[in-house]
Amino acid sequence: MTRILVRSPGLQTTVQDLGRFGLQALGIPPAGALDADALETANLLLGNPRGAACLECTLSGPELEFSGSAAFAICGAPMEAALNGTSVPLYETLFARTGDVLSLGAAETGLRAYIAFAGGVDVEPVMGSRSTYARGGFGGWQGRALKAGDTLPLTDLEEGSGSDRALRFVPEELRPAYPSEITVRALRSHEADRFEASSLSSFFSQPYAVSPKSDRMGCRLEGEPLTHVRGADIISGGVQTGTVQVPGDGKPIVLLADRQTTGGYTRIAHVIQADLPKLGQARPGDTVRFLETTLEAAREALKAREPEITGRVRERKPIPAIAGISPSAPGRTFRITVDGRIFDVEVREV
Amino acid sequence: MPSDYAFFPYGDGALIVETAEEISEAAYIRIRGLKDALEADRPDALLELIPAYRSLLVVYDPLKSDYPSLETRVKSCAAHVSFAGSMRKEIVRIPVCYEGEYAPDLEEVARHARLSAGEVVDIHASGTYLVYMLGFTPGFPYLGGMSDRIAAPRRSSPRTKIPAGSVGIADRQTGIYPVESPGGWNIIGRTPARLFDPGRDNPVLLRAGQHIRFFPVTSGEYQGISEAVQAGAWKPELFEEAAE
């Protein structure tokens, strides 16, 4: 079994999958990747199940040493990646051998990068998910962000994980960009009339700045304060990822994956599911705008997500037959690795 | 009483059902009745139900159903709600040590209530508390039913660390901390029961809709139960009573 030794953890690196669901009535938050699009893309590059557990790296990445061979891929916020000091591409199936060291630098744009490994990170699932919920101290690796010296097991590929050895990549033009100004679509809440009309229109027009106090629990926003009609507090009730609640200070908080399951602040809107990954990539100081949309448009956007993600991933074509060489001629194929990139080499008699 | 419910979209993956804007057993019973009805006759697209004081969040998969169809489905369920589920009270007995280091604010609550510490404990342990909902932290029960006689304001300066199992009073509410966390409640005792243990098959001890009765134990008994809890050999006593 290949293990990953954490030589340095990066700012905040956690094991995440798509989260644990169905337990919110017990007060258990979903957790899971804040940019599920990037996590799923990374898994697809390796032929993994879509929601296999990955490492979510925040702002700056870790330095990892491989105890054996492993295929891996990096997606999401572009962080300069190097294998044994030599730069390697993002959005591509890569390969490491025993003793190789992968290091990720700081994100040039965006906030979170995802490192997927063929087979996935093999930590024990807790309540149906491998996602870390650090606030509750469970899930992922020992319920916390990684520290230097941790050794994470990878799933043994012989155990049949569905992963394969195909080489895949996402063409440059199909990779998501992470601009510092984003617009996310949102649906008005049934409590919108608990805000002054001018505040409601201000919410859907003003540029907000992402606060440095934002974390995996919520994207906190700074801007012109909103005014409640009957106070900020409501009788506590269930919330969802993407729910925008507004406490007494009038500054909206978009709830993210590590949020509480119930909340007691008035809700002004809900960010649509298809746009949540954008918020997962918003870094402190970035600008966020909310665009009001409809339930129908939200559903269409969610439907479009699946073909968009699967459509990004391309397979490297086998080398076409060379003129004059019979494809049936005796020969051998080799797989060689140079600086993390894999080459399939065919040798035939002429 | 279908007219007691109002239905609204709640983002693109949920519907919220609301009833009277109050914290009351009557509101709770309406929410509980609808939750039971939806669990008995689950819509295909249903992902989960999150009950609260006066609302029920119906989380669905928008790729399997659209909002109008789901609303029609939930409304037809609401028209046939039976409140039979609330006719029985399921009572969970929770041991609490109201002594010494486990009860740092008991004297303060007693002073505020102009009662003796013993009277505060008697009142707290004689109540029956409804678990309206779970939330805040994993397994945290929002309890209703505490006597106003032992109500006490939150501490002016919250503690940074309150041990798991601490039983507290804040204003007219009582509660139990499932995990160690900061907090401003007045701590009047501690239970050796673990309300949340992610390593357990059944990580959360309580369910919304159950009732709790606290019973005082000595610090010696606390230790004994605590060891049984650690060994996985303790379960709370559960019994049923007919509702009045």
Side-chain angles (χ1 to χ4, degrees), chain A residues 22-28 30 236-240 259-263, chain B residues 10 14-17 31 35 39 46-59 132-135 208:
Chain A
L23 300 165
Q24 295 189 77
L26 302 178
I28 295 165
S236 287
V239 293
Q240 289 280 278
R259 64 192 164 72
Q260 297 172 188
T261 54
T262 55
Chain B
Y10 194 94
L15 169 155
I16 192 166
V17 186
I31 295 303
K35 175 181 165 276
E39 271 172 357
L46 181 68
L47 294 176
E48 58 186 310
L49 296 168
I50 310 173
Y53 287 117
R54 56 159 306 230
S55 65
L56 179 67
L57 206 55
V58 180
V59 184
Y132 277 100
M133 60 191 231
L134 299 165

Side-chain angles (χ1 to χ4, degrees), chain A residues 30-50:
Chain A
L34 289 192
D35 181 353
D37 287 6
L39 176 132
E40 290 184 38
T41 305
N43 278 322
L44 283 175
L45 286 169
L46 298 164
N48 280 350
R50 291 285 279 264

Side-chain angles (χ1 to χ4, degrees), chain A residues 21-331:
Chain A
F21 290 90
L23 300 165
Q24 295 189 77
L26 302 178
I28 295 165
L34 289 192
D35 181 353
D37 287 6
L39 176 132
E40 290 184 38
T41 305
N43 278 322
L44 283 175
L45 286 169
L46 298 164
N48 280 350
R50 291 285 279 264
C54 295
L55 296 183
E56 179 182 271
C57 318
T58 315
L59 206 55
S60 76
E63 189 173 282
L64 308 171
E65 186 180 322
F66 292 84
S67 80
S69 57
F72 66 97
I74 308 159
C75 292
M79 294 181 182
E80 178 71 45
L83 197 63
N84 304 324
T86 307
S87 174
V88 289
L90 309 177
Y91 288 93
E92 190 165 328
T93 316
L94 300 168
F95 197 73
R97 286 170 296 194
T98 308
D100 281 357
V101 174
L102 171 68
S103 54
L104 265 66
E108 293 151 29
T109 59
L111 187 57
R112 294 180 168 96
Y114 294 83
I115 312 174
F117 303 91
V121 179
D122 191 22
V123 293
E124 197 61 40
V126 177
M127 292 174 262
S129 163
R130 293 183 168 84
S131 287
T132 310
Y133 175 53
R135 212 169 275 266
F138 62 88
W141 179 254
Q142 299 181 359
R144 58 165 171 79
L146 301 185
K147 289 181 189 167
D150 290 343
T151 52
L152 304 178
L154 299 184
T155 301
D156 254 330
L157 287 180
E158 277 66 39
E159 284 171 19
S161 62
S163 298
D164 54 37
R165 298 296 299 274
L167 303 182
R168 300 187 180 86
F169 69 107
V170 177
E172 196 99 34
E173 66 276 13
L174 296 181
R175 298 177 191 178
Y178 304 104
S180 59
E181 287 198 20
I182 57 168
T183 297
V184 293
R185 289 163 289 181
L187 294 159
R188 189 184 286 227
S189 152
H190 69 298
E191 285 163 355
D193 62 358
R194 289 177 184 246
F195 293 88
E196 284 186 358
S198 59
S199 282
L200 187 60
S201 60
S202 157
F203 173 77
F204 281 113
S205 56
Q206 71 164 299
Y208 282 103
V210 176
S211 155
K213 282 183 277 181
S214 300
D215 56 14
R216 282 188 42 89
M217 209 173 159
C219 180
R220 292 167 175 269
L221 300 169
E222 300 282 349
E224 192 63 38
L226 306 174
T227 311
H228 300 84
V229 177
R230 284 181 278 158
D233 294 353
I234 54 164
I235 295 175
S236 287
V239 293
Q240 289 280 278
T241 302
T243 294
V244 187
Q245 59 178 28
V246 185
D249 64 5
K251 294 175 185 174
I253 302 168
V254 189
L255 299 178
L256 302 180
D258 282 6
R259 64 192 164 72
Q260 297 172 188
T261 54
T262 55
Y265 296 123
T266 316
R267 301 151 288 204
I268 193 166
H270 305 272
V271 173
I272 68 169
Q273 295 180 40
D275 285 355
L276 288 172
K278 283 188 185 178
L279 283 172
Q281 293 291 359
R283 53 162 91 189
D286 280 1
T287 301
V288 178
R289 282 187 177 81
F290 296 94
L291 175 70
E292 186 165 10
T293 189
T294 63
L295 267 173
E296 295 71 36
R299 193 153 178 260
E300 289 312 309
L302 197 59
K303 276 185 186 165
R305 179 180 176 266
E306 176 63 25
E308 191 186 331
I309 292 177
T310 46
R312 279 176 194 160
V313 177
R314 303 292 157 83
E315 206 157 311
R316 293 244 182 258
K317 291 210 175 68
I319 307 153
I322 298 167
I325 303 175
S326 157
S328 60

Side-chain angles (χ1 to χ4, degrees), chain B residues 67-232:
Chain B
Y67 180 83
S69 332
L70 188 85
E71 194 194 78
T72 307
R73 185 76 164 67
V74 175
K75 274 184 174 167
S76 88
C77 235
H80 301 100
V81 166
S82 132
F83 299 105
S86 54
M87 292 295 112
R88 290 169 294 104
K89 275 187 181 174
E90 189 177 49
I91 295 172
V92 187
R93 293 187 75 220
I94 300 287
V96 177
C97 179
Y98 294 96
E99 295 170 10
E101 55 162 327
Y102 298 135
D105 302 321
L106 180 60
E107 289 298 335
E108 183 55 40
V109 171
R111 241 193 316 277
H112 189 267
R114 296 172 196 274
L115 295 168
S116 71
E119 286 168 322
V120 170
V121 171
D122 286 346
I123 294 170
H124 191 260
S126 64
T128 301
Y129 304 93
L130 170 61
V131 180
Y132 277 100
M133 60 191 231
L134 299 165
F136 177 53
T137 59
F140 177 86
Y142 284 83
L143 300 177
M146 194 183 76
S147 165
D148 286 353
R149 291 174 65 203
I150 54 173
R154 278 162 214 266
R155 289 170 52 81
S156 50
S157 128
R159 290 194 172 86
T160 51
K161 258 189 189 177
I162 292 183
S166 294
V167 175
I169 289 177
D171 302 320
R172 291 159 61 194
Q173 286 189 79
T174 184
I176 312 166
Y177 285 78
V179 292
E180 183 187 282
S181 51
W185 292 39
N186 300 285
I187 305 305
I188 62 159
R190 197 188 302 173
T191 176
R194 273 195 203 151
L195 271 65
F196 177 66
D197 179 352
R200 210 161 50 192
D201 282 345
N202 201 353
V204 174
L205 188 70
L206 301 168
R207 294 289 178 275
Q210 288 178 323
H211 288 75
I212 287 181
R213 247 176 236 160
F214 298 110
F215 66 99
V217 295
T218 63
S219 59
E221 288 166 326
Y222 177 101
Q223 286 308 328
I225 300 169
S226 192
E227 280 159 25
V229 167
Q230 303 246 344

